[in-house]
Amino acid sequence: MEHVPPPAEELARLDRELAELDARRAQLLTRRAWLLAALRPPAPTAAPGWNPSAWGAPAPGRPGAPAQPWGHVPPKQASAPRSAQNVLLTLGGLLLTVAAIAFTLVSWGSMGIGGRSAVLAAVTVGALAAPAVLLRRGLTATAEALAALALVLTLLDAYAVHAVAAPDTDGLGFTAVAAAVLAALWTAYGLALGKLHLPLPAAVVLAQWPLLFGAWAAGAPALVVGWALLATAVLDGAIALWGKGTGARVTACVGGSVMAFSALMVGLTLSVTASGPLGALAPGALLLTAAAAALAGAWRAPRGSARAGGVVAGLASVAAVGGVPAAAVPEDWAVLAYLSAGLALTAVVRTRLPRNAAIGALVASAAVVAGALAGALPGLAAVLLGPVTLLSDVWAGSPEGFRAALGSTLPWTGLAATPVVLAVSAGLLGSAYRWWPSPARIAASLIAREEPGSGGAAAYGAGPAGSAGASGAGTPEAGGAAVPGTGGKPGAGTAGTVGTPAPGASGAEAPGAPGAAAPGASGAPHGTGAPWYAGGRAGAPWYAGGASAARRRPSGAALRGAAGAGAAVLGWGALLLTGAVLDVPYAVAVAGETVLVAGLLALAVRGTGSGREGSAAVPVTALVAALAGAVSAGLLSLASEGASYAVFGALAALFAGAAVRAGAGVERAVFAVAATVGGTVLTGFAGRSLGLAPHEAAPLMLLVPALTVLFGARLRRNPAALPVELTGALGALVAVALAVPDAPFLALVLALCGVLAAGAAVRPERRPVAAYLAAALFVLATWVRLAASEVSFPEAYTLPVTAPALVVGFLRRRKDPETSSWTAYGPGLAATLLPSLAVAWTDPEWQRPLLLGVSALVITLLGARYRLQALLLLGGAVLALDGLHELAPYVVQVAGALPRWLPPALAGLLLLVVGATYEQRLRDARRLKDALGRMR
């Protein structure tokens, strides 16, 4: 019968065969085209400027030649000797340079003044004039080599002039003048011979030194040297923006960066080390001028350079403005002056600065604030982790002050301004969280700001023709995309978006229209010239960019949550550091940290379960801070017994109350676990206060685990039940560890743990684990107790295992009669029979073998009665081995009394009987096997 595949399989097979046919047809068509081209008569040469197709067209120089077929590898062509030419020119230029240097340094003194002048004039003029002739003949590489030689010669000429004509002139001053003259000479030379790449970059390099060396030669102070560096950097910036040639502009960028950095370092050093406000004014003027220059460059620079310029301008402004008040206050409070200047820098969002420059200034402001906050990290670490030292001497007595309890050697007087820095930052973030829509609108206006030089490119909020829409387009009121966090709803879009160009609107390409789209304007798809803040629609602001833009940037709710979380953490840190800086009394410090934990818990409970987008950041942060504060407060309280009870009792109550008030979820579980830990620590304190040894306090530690079992039964399926019970189990494990040194107490603790596990096993959802755990704990408790009582009988250890195992097996067999007897009764019986048999074989007494034999006989009879294979075989094997052990001495005695020929005779007789009844014995063995096989 022919197999007919299903329709889907047959369709897939047909598609594969059709695809193979299409591929083969394409190969044949390609071969046919090549053959036709080979047979076609030669065609006339193409006119100049005609660009033949890259596939299947005659190659240049071979009219009518066919295109090469697939797989053809063209032969290697002789490459143009450009690389060999460059090597030769480089070697030649180096040799001439070496010869010129050797001549100047060695042979110069043996010639007269006329010869020297003639040689210098002839060689230098010749080296400068030769590139012009070579360029007219198209020998550009040779001209470049000779221009490099001419550059070296001009430097050697300057050295020679100084050595002969002006030997007494100051070296730095002469170098400054020579560098200026050479820079002007090579600038003019490079502009005259525009095809050469070397002269203009060389002129830029030479222009770096005149002002700097001139200031040094004049013995100017450091401030003047800084101005010279800044002036050079400004010149480099002008060249980078308006210079001719890529090489010159790149060289100017590098040189300007180095010079600007040096000028800023000079100004910053002078500002920081100023003796007073008046002394900081002059360095501040230098820094402000540098900021203005960087800002002017950022106004016309591309995106990346504009942002870098904004960062430099912002940092320089902060150093200049903050340096004056910083010089008037003590050194420890200077950070507030710089922080204030950095925060004031955020006012750039209200100015007319280009977007990228303003973003760079905001980055500088954020860097200043981050640097100020970083200075608080050592103090916070000392406050939170310092109390760890109290673990080595618990309840040694209350220290005098907060700092003494921390045990830190930090210079706390130098951190006097740190709490203020944290408080100011927390206040600003809290204000942003409270009045969130305003920061979102300000950020939106900055992001949508049009860059200078964009012409008529559409931009958000441009207003006239060629804009993304009328004023207000893109806002919730205009039906555009909503600003994050403002509460507006995204509308249908903005006017002038891609696909709906209106006359004169963005994307319209009418000549001369005021809104004609420029490259990178709206109307181009995102990623093909659209501004960086454009999302899915060109010209739309970043928050209207569709799903992809939403994935790239956080939502307004997330930003608001981050601001609130930062405010909570910084405020908490400010209060902690305030106590350490003021060195408040120990009791005040402990109470203050506990109150802070209570406040954080209130904030965490208030925000849990609100269900608002982005609202989880504040409660989660408050929860983490509360846990860290609780650990710190608990460690701090270990110095005093009363403080320990008060703090841990308060913490346990606070976390328990938070667990009650919080919604069902992870937060409630965390609160409940923390409360359980606090209660466990309190029971440990109680044992220490009662003067109990660790093993004697172990049973007391089981009080909290017992309560967790009761709470677990009350909570049932609540998500917090399992974490609470696991925490209680860890407390029980601690109690077991404490009781290990004393065996009787260890047995007691294990038995009590077994009771707790049995109580948990009453609940159906805990029974699969708790029941086995309870049995194991009871067995362990029994064994430990027996070992402590020096009981050596193995049955005392094995019977407590066998009895419950047989009961469990019996219950399982009653529930499932098909269960094998080996599974139900085998482990329990083997746990007692096998160790007892091993001991019975070495036991000289008669009681154990007798009891073991009787027990094995009963087990065998029960197995035969109820047709249980495990009982029959185990009992029979143990009975046989036990009987063999008991009869072995008598058998040996009888065998010794019999004649020596009798054993072989009996063996032969036995073989004869077996051989005569062989078939019958086989049938008996098969019946026995079948009977055993039918047993369970």
Side-chain angles (χ1 to χ4, degrees):
M1 182 176 180
E2 183 180 358
H3 171 67
V4 178
E9 181 181 351
E10 186 176 3
L11 179 61
R13 183 183 304 171
L14 290 176
D15 289 340
R16 287 195 298 269
E17 293 177 358
L18 288 174
E20 293 173 359
L21 290 175
D22 290 341
R24 180 58 180 166
R25 185 174 184 274
Q27 293 176 359
L28 294 176
L29 288 175
T30 302
R31 182 63 180 175
R32 180 178 180 275
W34 183 83
L35 292 174
L36 289 175
L39 296 174
R40 188 179 297 119
T45 305
W50 176 64
N51 183 21
S53 174
W55 184 86
R62 296 179 58 197
Q68 300 297 340
W70 286 359
H72 173 74
V73 179
K76 273 196 169 183
Q77 300 288 338
S79 60
R82 184 67 62 184
S83 58
Q85 179 187 15
N86 291 337
V87 171
L88 293 176
L89 290 174
T90 303
L91 290 177
L94 287 176
L95 291 176
L96 289 176
T97 302
V98 171
I101 295 174
F103 169 77
T104 304
L105 297 178
V106 178
S107 302
W108 181 263
S110 63
M111 299 181 64
I113 187 63
R116 300 171 184 175
S117 302
V119 170
L120 280 174
V123 175
T124 304
V125 171
L128 290 173
V133 178
L134 294 172
L135 286 176
R136 284 197 296 270
R137 298 193 175 188
L139 301 176
T140 306
T142 308
E144 291 283 357
L146 288 179
L149 176 62
L151 175 62
V152 176
L153 288 175
T154 54
L155 296 176
L156 292 175
D157 290 343
Y159 166 75
V161 169
H162 179 264
V164 174
D168 298 330
T169 306
D170 180 60
L172 287 175
F174 184 85
T175 303
V177 175
V181 172
L182 290 176
L185 172 65
W186 280 98
T187 301
Y189 187 75
L191 293 175
L193 302 179
K195 293 184 178 180
L196 292 179
H197 298 88
L198 178 64
L200 290 179
V204 173
V205 173
L206 291 170
Q208 307 301 309
W209 313 113
L211 294 178
L212 178 61
F213 286 167
W216 279 355
L223 184 62
V224 177
V225 174
W227 281 106
L229 291 169
L230 180 59
T232 305
V234 170
L235 176 62
D236 289 331
I239 295 173
L241 289 175
W242 298 292
K244 180 182 178 182
T246 304
R249 299 174 70 175
V250 172
T251 306
C253 285
V254 175
S257 300
V258 175
M259 292 297 174
F261 178 77
S262 303
L264 290 174
M265 289 298 102
V266 171
L268 181 61
T269 303
L270 294 177
S271 178
V272 172
T273 58
S275 57
L278 294 179
L281 288 176
L286 174 63
L287 292 171
L288 282 178
T289 306
L295 203 57
W299 204 287
R300 298 185 58 88
R303 173 187 174 185
S305 301
R307 291 192 178 183
V311 172
V312 173
L315 293 177
S317 301
V318 170
V321 177
V324 176
V329 298
E331 182 180 358
D332 302 335
W333 294 87
V335 63
L336 289 180
Y338 293 107
L339 178 62
S340 302
L343 293 175
L345 198 61
T346 56
V348 296
V349 298
R350 296 294 190 182
T351 63
R352 303 288 296 175
L353 282 178
R355 181 186 63 249
N356 288 320
I359 291 176
L362 293 179
V363 171
S365 175
V368 172
V369 175
L373 295 178
L377 292 179
L380 282 176
V383 171
L384 293 175
L385 302 178
V388 174
T389 57
L390 297 175
L391 289 173
S392 60
D393 196 6
V394 178
W395 295 354
S398 301
E400 296 180 358
F402 193 9
R403 298 179 191 172
L406 298 178
S408 175
T409 58
L410 282 177
W412 293 105
T413 55
L415 299 175
T418 303
V420 182
V421 172
L422 295 176
V424 170
S425 304
L428 292 175
L429 290 176
S431 300
Y433 178 80
R434 174 64 180 82
W435 293 284
W436 172 248
S438 298
R441 293 191 186 99
I442 294 173
S445 64
L446 174 62
I447 294 297
R449 188 176 299 173
E450 185 178 357
E451 284 296 291
S454 60
Y460 169 68
S467 66
S471 61
T475 64
E477 293 80 359
V483 177
T486 60
K489 300 296 181 183
T494 57
T497 55
V498 177
T500 59
S506 173
E509 299 180 0
S522 178
H526 182 57
T528 59
W532 70 274
Y533 54 85
R537 301 188 301 272
W542 63 270
Y543 47 80
S548 60
R551 286 192 299 267
R552 289 193 301 269
R553 296 181 175 89
S555 64
L559 293 176
R560 183 181 184 231
V569 172
L570 293 178
W572 171 57
L575 293 175
L576 285 178
L577 275 180
T578 300
V581 170
L582 297 179
D583 195 17
V584 297
Y586 172 75
V588 175
V590 172
E593 289 202 15
T594 308
V595 170
L596 286 178
V597 173
L600 291 170
L601 286 177
L603 184 60
V605 171
R606 181 182 178 184
T608 55
S610 60
R612 293 179 296 176
E613 180 186 0
S615 62
V618 175
V620 169
T621 304
L623 174 58
V624 175
L627 293 175
V631 173
S632 178
L635 292 175
L636 186 64
S637 68
L638 294 179
S640 170
E641 181 178 1
S644 299
Y645 279 106
V647 169
F648 278 95
L651 292 177
L654 288 173
F655 279 104
V660 173
R661 294 294 301 275
V666 178
E667 296 85 359
R668 168 174 284 186
V670 174
F671 292 144
V673 166
T676 304
V677 172
T680 304
V681 175
L682 283 175
T683 56
F685 287 162
R688 183 180 178 89
S689 297
L690 294 174
L692 302 177
H695 64 274
E696 294 174 340
L700 188 61
M701 293 286 292
L702 295 177
L703 177 61
V704 173
L707 293 177
T708 59
V709 173
L710 297 177
F711 278 119
R714 175 69 177 83
L715 296 175
R716 289 288 178 178
R717 300 287 182 177
N718 193 293
L722 181 60
V724 168
E725 292 181 80
L726 291 178
T727 307
L730 290 178
L733 188 62
V734 173
V736 171
L738 292 175
V740 166
D742 190 272
F745 271 95
L746 178 59
L748 174 62
V749 171
L750 289 172
L752 293 176
C753 291
V755 172
L756 296 179
V762 174
R763 296 156 51 197
E765 67 273 13
R766 299 287 185 261
R767 187 171 301 153
V769 176
Y772 290 104
L773 180 61
L777 289 172
F778 282 129
V779 170
L780 286 176
T782 304
W783 286 357
V784 171
R785 180 68 260 184
L786 291 174
S789 301
E790 298 182 355
V791 175
S792 58
F793 300 112
E795 291 79 10
Y797 297 90
T798 58
L799 286 176
V801 177
T802 296
L806 293 178
V807 171
V808 171
F810 174 76
L811 295 176
R812 183 173 181 182
R813 284 270 303 172
R814 188 171 65 176
K815 183 178 180 180
D816 183 13
E818 299 298 324
T819 303
S820 172
S821 61
W822 290 102
T823 302
Y825 304 117
L829 293 175
T832 296
L833 292 178
L834 297 182
S836 298
L837 179 63
V839 175
W841 272 61
T842 58
D843 191 356
E845 302 295 332
W846 58 272
Q847 292 90 350
R848 176 176 283 109
L850 176 61
L851 294 175
L852 179 61
V854 172
S855 301
L857 178 60
V858 172
I859 292 171
T860 304
L861 295 177
L862 289 175
R865 170 68 180 81
Y866 294 102
R867 307 184 63 80
L868 299 175
Q869 189 179 106
L871 276 67
L872 179 63
L873 294 182
L874 276 175
V878 171
L879 180 61
L881 292 175
D882 186 62
L884 178 62
H885 172 265
E886 294 301 314
L887 294 177
Y890 303 104
V891 171
V892 171
Q893 293 179 4
V894 171
L898 293 176
R900 295 183 178 271
W901 54 265
L902 187 58
L906 293 176
L909 181 61
L910 179 62
L911 291 176
L912 289 175
V913 173
V914 171
T917 59
Y918 180 73
E919 296 295 336
Q920 182 64 32
R921 301 284 80 77
L922 285 180
R923 288 192 295 271
D924 294 341
R926 292 191 188 99
R927 283 197 299 270
L928 179 61
K929 179 182 177 182
D930 294 338
L932 290 175
R934 287 191 296 270
M935 291 183 177
R936 286 292 178 185

